[in-house]
Amino acid sequence: MRKFATLTAAALVAGALGMAGAQAQTPLRLSVETPQGEPLNFMLRSFAEALEEEAPGAFDVEIFDGGVLGDEIAQMELVRAGQVDVVPMGSDVVEIDDHFALFDAPFFFPDAKTARTALDGELGAMYAESLLERTGLKLLAFGELGFRMITNNVRPVVVPADLDGLKLRTPGSSTRIMAFETLGAAPTPMNLGEAYLAMQQGVLDGQENPFGTIREMSFHEVQKYLSLSRHVYTPITLVMNAKTWDGLSAEEQDAVMAAAETAKEASRAQSDDNTASLLDEFKAAGMEVNEIDLAAFKEAVPPIYDEIGSIVGPDFMDKATSTIEGN
């Protein structure tokens, strides 16, 4: 009887050791509105690839892309509810944290270097704290969609008056809509995937997006004029559900943050490549390219700043402004 008990105990120990040696992978569900190649999708996939390199076999990653789970607003609802774990967010993040209205303030960031330095420093820390407190999301990294440009099929946009009446697809960001209404346009929120057909059929006159999105969504095929407005800078805000984050081991958290850093650098490198190469591609496709009258636009934007300042709040706005001026 004693011999049987000893053997049984030994078997149990061996079984436990076998289970420990084959621990289950941690599941992670990643989702994005856009197709492969587009900057949001590119950053998410860069994160997934880097995570496998940082922690081989530790995570079971599943990616839902191309909008199979809905548009960006739906993505944000899903990650906050914990139905997906990681999403990259563009302009519509302002709908869950109005501090992000800052990114709808025209010409706030003078160049990409200034924006990146701020987001990697004090400004980024401010947003990480705000997101966690207001939305229950853990900020992983800021990638880059880049500076947005205006395209349309009616006329070149040189001065604000050229926007009068233009039906432009915008994200759902209420402050982006407000900004374009203030400048005289007719902003039309629409799912990004529906914009191509709407412009092709004349339902929309145009849209506003960075170079990478214009190319990957093939908007240059159905747009005549490209105005180099650079009116706002849009980061990619890569986030994880905070409860998912809290459930990871310290080693897993380290791997996630290292992968996010790699994805951030890859995203910014892609943005630089797009800025350097795509203008010639757009011209070759037949687009007419023009610069805007920056001074004329800056004269028109103070009412937009007043509205955005009241939404963001004076303390946050003052700290953000001093951070930018310090760079």
Side-chain angles (χ1 to χ4, degrees), residues 235-259:
I236 298 174
T237 307
L238 185 69
V239 297
M240 174 179 279
N241 177 279
K243 290 182 180 179
T244 300
W245 169 263
D246 290 340
L248 300 178
S249 68
E251 293 78 9
E252 289 174 327
Q253 289 179 349
D254 287 345
V256 165
M257 294 308 292

Side-chain angles (χ1 to χ4, degrees), residues 4-318:
F4 175 79
T6 302
L7 287 172
T8 301
L12 289 171
V13 170
L17 289 173
M19 289 175 65
Q23 292 180 350
Q25 292 177 304
T26 298
L28 283 183
R29 293 155 295 182
L30 283 54
S31 184
V32 63
E33 174 188 10
T34 55
Q36 291 190 44
E38 192 278 335
L40 288 159
N41 193 308
F42 177 81
M43 184 176 186
L44 190 67
R45 288 185 175 274
S46 295
F47 169 74
E49 293 169 5
L51 189 59
E52 177 60 25
E53 292 180 5
E54 292 290 338
F59 294 92
D60 179 15
V61 175
E62 189 173 10
I63 298 177
F64 302 90
D65 66 2
V68 296
L69 298 183
D71 62 12
E72 187 163 288
I73 298 294
Q75 307 288 321
M76 295 189 297
E77 293 172 352
L78 289 170
V79 72
R80 294 183 72 188
Q83 294 175 314
V84 298
D85 301 303
V86 179
V87 301
M89 301 183 294
S91 297
D92 286 341
V93 63
V94 69
E95 297 304 298
I96 57 172
D97 184 347
D98 58 17
H99 283 149
F100 280 83
L102 180 70
F103 293 98
D104 288 328
F107 316 112
F108 185 79
F109 295 95
D111 52 56
K113 181 180 179 181
T114 299
R116 294 171 182 177
T117 301
L119 291 173
D120 289 344
E122 183 180 358
L123 184 60
M126 290 163 59
Y127 276 113
E129 180 181 355
S130 182
L131 275 170
L132 188 60
E133 178 183 330
R134 294 181 167 206
T135 70
L137 297 177
K138 166 71 176 178
L139 175 66
L140 301 181
F142 281 110
E144 186 169 288
L145 273 167
F147 283 95
R148 303 175 84 95
M149 315 293 177
I150 297 169
T151 69
N152 81 98
N153 285 322
V154 178
R155 55 183 169 265
V157 173
V158 179
V159 296
D162 294 325
L163 287 170
D164 285 351
L166 288 185
K167 294 174 290 185
L168 299 179
R169 181 271 171 190
T170 66
S173 164
S174 55
T175 40
R176 183 77 51 78
I177 294 168
M178 177 275 296
F180 274 105
E181 286 177 340
T182 301
L183 293 172
T188 306
M190 181 180 291
N191 186 311
L192 189 65
E194 298 172 357
Y196 181 97
L197 186 60
M199 290 186 288
Q200 186 181 51
Q201 294 180 342
V203 176
L204 289 175
D205 296 318
Q207 59 84 54
E208 48 91 48
N209 261 298
F211 278 177
T213 303
I214 293 171
R215 195 272 301 276
E216 294 303 328
M217 302 304 292
S218 300
F219 293 157
H220 60 293
E221 296 177 356
V222 291
Q223 293 280 267
K224 182 176 181 180
Y225 301 106
L226 168 61
S227 300
L228 303 177
S229 52
R230 305 177 186 90
H231 51 284
V232 292
Y233 172 90
T234 303
I236 298 174
T237 307
L238 185 69
V239 297
M240 174 179 279
N241 177 279
K243 290 182 180 179
T244 300
W245 169 263
D246 290 340
L248 300 178
S249 68
E251 293 78 9
E252 289 174 327
Q253 289 179 349
D254 287 345
V256 165
M257 294 308 292
E261 180 70 16
T262 298
K264 176 190 79 175
E265 296 301 329
S267 171
R268 291 176 180 179
Q270 185 201 43
S271 180
D272 287 339
D273 289 343
N274 287 339
T275 299
S277 66
L278 291 184
L279 187 58
D280 287 340
E281 182 176 330
F282 295 150
K283 289 178 180 178
M287 298 190 83
E288 296 183 21
V289 179
N290 69 276
E291 293 282 352
I292 65 166
D293 183 337
L294 183 58
F297 269 90
K298 285 188 173 182
E299 285 183 12
V301 299
I304 299 172
Y305 269 75
D306 291 342
E307 180 68 18
I308 288 176
S310 67
I311 293 170
V312 172
D315 289 344
F316 196 96
M317 193 73 175
D318 289 345

